[in-house]
Amino acid sequence: MTVGVLVEISNKSVDKIFDYNVPSSLESKIQVGVRVSVPFGKMILEGFVLEIKDSADRELKDILDVVDDDIVLNDELIELGKEIKRRTLSPLISCYQVMLPKALKAKSGRDISIKYESVYSLNTIDCNVSFNSTQKQIIDLIKEKGKVSRRELVNISLSSLQTLIKKNILIEEKVEQYRLHYNTSLLEKKKLTVEQSEVVNSVIASSPNCFLLYGVTGSGKTEVYMEIIDYYLSLGKSSILLVPEISLTPQMIERFQRRFGDRIAALHSGLSDGEKYDEWRRIARGEVSIVIGARSAVFAPLKDIGIIILDEEHSDSYKQSDANPRYHARDIALLRAKSHNCSVLLGSATPSLESMARAEKGVYKLLRLPNRVNGKNLPKVIIVDMNEAFKKTKGHFSNDLLESIRGCLLRGEQSILLLNRRGYASFVTCKNCGFTFKCPNCDITLTYHKSSNTLRCHYCGYGEKGYNECPKCHEKGLNNLGIGTQKIEEELKKYIPEARILRMDYDTTSKKGMHLKMIESFKNHEYDILLGTQMVAKGLDFANVTLVGVINADTSLNIPDFRSGENTFSLLSQVAGRSGRSEKEGIVIIQTFNPDHYAISYVQKHDYLSFYRQEMDIRRRLKYPPYYYLCCIKISGKDSNFIYQEALKIKRSLERNLDSVIILGPSNALVFKVNQIYRYQIILKYKKEDELYPIFSKIMEHYQINRNIKIDIDFNPLQVL
Ligand code: ADP
Ligand code: ZN
């Protein structure tokens, strides 16, 4: 027997399958999809068995060992990996590694192991032996239950167990134990409203299909997901629910546990590697039917999937941008849906332009929940013009916002304050009039480069000299924007010393369990104000919150990216949706230097569809998605001059080979130099991707063995910075 093995080696030039001989002693353990260890040059590596051939070939080296008893990649996932490679041009091995928990990746730390616990059962009892009272207690318990685990034998010492084992009265076995424990089903469920039921019925009636559920914040989308999942459960089918990491709060998991008990597995970054490994095994063994998780949970090895749901489908956390393969969970969901002949449901209060455009064309089926569940209105949104407010105050708080916070406090109600730090970049703005510098060709904000004192466009390379004063109002105070939550907290304490402020950001939630603790204590009204970054914007459901304040709406508006309007609109709509979710009416105060910007005025009107139309119009004129696809080729290396010349060559060869494609650059990447590595980028706007693959493959091949240059290709990048 010989096998084709894909080995894990972090060298891009060996992305292929190597053949090995299987010694007869190991033949019985070989399956497609198990890991094996193999000799490779002077090294010993791990890899995945992807092919089995009957023929023997004595010339080949032997595999050394089979790592797993069970397969780690099933046939569906093996095929899926090949398709991901085709679409993203990533090394095949990376397409499999991304699907697996750390413990199952090829050549990973063996320190993540399966946890075992002792389970005791009775051997035949010799009646002549006399027992002391503790021993009797143990034996009676085991007689009653059959088998008893160590955990169940509370207050019983190990030594009394060992004595019984020595006397051959007890048998000890080691059995696998999962680190997490779920409550068994409590089946709590709500009666759906008519609108919710209609959505559920449409999904069931027109499956398999891809649906876009456009439902305002608080319209009861999560409840709809649960009902649909329940339906598939009754057919014996499984479901995947993806949520952005940030909204995968313990609150959310608990809500699912209350309804589905231990039939769920949850995959998120709050778990240890061991816990993730356990959850993965429960899934692979078919012990659960529902997987809730962040992006990579889209690869959960469930069988017979009925539906894959992406909540907050517009969220950029669904795209893996920082490593190969640069995939989008939505695309993977659609691919898996094809193999399983099942449905995909995309849900959002602010659908991505791509998805809405597809729904308009009839590619996706559009479903709507236009109203909040309890008939409540969406909160009133007040825009505060900071150009005016700054004439009266010095800090980051307008009087309007401070007065509203104080009012909230007096009524015993709570507020949420958002410090918008999305995609924080060093753009320059005028303190006085809010003016920002824009590229004349691309309509995106220029970023400031201190070292060369220039303002640059990262799309087309346009540049101009840095200014000392504002070209519009001649103010000298030009600012690089950047404020932290801590600074805001201190400022707020000065204004309202009696308020109890809870700060939630990356720093204060990094310790395990802190996130849940904070949410619980805010819910219990131990604090009056929840102040935080994007973390406070999504998924939270507090009945007593009647004020949402946005300190700085502009940060995300000004980042040099064509999606900044869309991202700002969706962030502000999301955070606005946290206010007045229950009995009490809520308001929202948005502080901004751009009160007339369309993204902000449509948030005020809760008018997604008009925003969508206007934004689509801009995208059409500037040839951005969803009218054109984008692709970003990143060219990096130590020798800036050399890679720039190579980038030019790449651009020319693209121009020779592609007719209908718009090619921009090479320009400096936003972070131009990282660890002595320089980065350039070429941006392509195109209509059909199939004509790109052959030329891209050639380019990748050409540079594969050159250690001085690295090429990364990102299709549909979330940001082009
Ligand atoms: P969304 O996900 O659209 O923001 P949720 O599903 O979180 O909305 O629902 C908002 C609130 O309304 C939650 O507190 C939820 O428990 C409640 N809710 C949803 N559907 C119903 C229903 N049919 N009956 C009563 N309450 C509901
Ligand atoms: Zn430009």
Side-chain angles (χ1 to χ4, degrees), residues 272-311:
S272 69
D273 289 330
E275 288 166 341
K276 281 183 195 154
Y277 183 23
D278 289 352
E279 292 293 84
W280 195 92
R281 293 199 325 284
R282 292 174 67 222
I283 300 164
R285 289 168 177 173
E287 294 170 9
V288 302
S289 311
I290 303 161
V291 174
I292 305 174
R295 179 176 66 222
S296 65
V298 74
F299 297 111
L302 286 167
K303 292 177 197 88
D304 206 2
I305 299 174
I307 193 154
I308 304 174
I309 303 171
L310 274 78
D311 186 31

Side-chain angles (χ1 to χ4, degrees), residues 50 106 157 180 265 281 301 444-445 448 497 510 524 572 610 708:
L50 294 188
S157 72
L180 292 170
R281 293 199 325 284
I444 57 159
T445 322
Y448 180 63
S510 54
N524 297 336
L572 296 181
S610 299
N708 297 321

Side-chain angles (χ1 to χ4, degrees), residues 4 136 172 181 243 265 278 477 512 558 590 595 602 615 623 636:
K136 271 215 189 79
E172 182 184 12
H181 301 284
V243 294
D278 289 352
K512 200 177 168 176
N558 286 327
I590 296 177
Y602 287 131
E615 185 71 25
K623 299 190 167 64
S636 51

Side-chain angles (χ1 to χ4, degrees), residues 488-546:
I488 294 290
E489 183 186 10
E490 282 160 19
E491 198 179 321
L492 187 57
K493 268 186 192 155
K494 268 185 227 147
Y495 294 127
I496 314 180
E498 69 274 24
R500 297 166 300 169
I501 306 169
L502 177 64
R503 178 161 63 90
M504 193 154 104
D505 56 22
Y506 185 77
D507 293 334
T508 58
T509 54
S510 54
K511 226 173 92 199
K512 200 177 168 176
M514 268 324 271
H515 198 191
L516 174 65
K517 233 172 124 185
M518 286 187 165
I519 290 170
E520 286 299 313
S521 56
F522 189 65
K523 188 159 213 159
N524 297 336
H525 207 162
E526 290 162 39
Y527 295 91
D528 305 303
I529 299 169
L530 176 63
L531 162 69
T533 53
Q534 268 67 333
M535 262 177 223
V536 303
K538 294 175 186 175
L540 299 176
D541 192 19
F542 301 111
N544 194 38
V545 170
T546 54

Side-chain angles (χ1 to χ4, degrees), residues 190-192 196 218-223 255 373 541 581:
K190 294 198 162 69
K191 190 173 168 356
L192 294 190
Q196 285 173 317
S219 60
K221 294 186 289 297
T222 314
E223 218 60 45
R255 199 165 154 189
V373 176
D541 192 19
R581 285 172 79 84

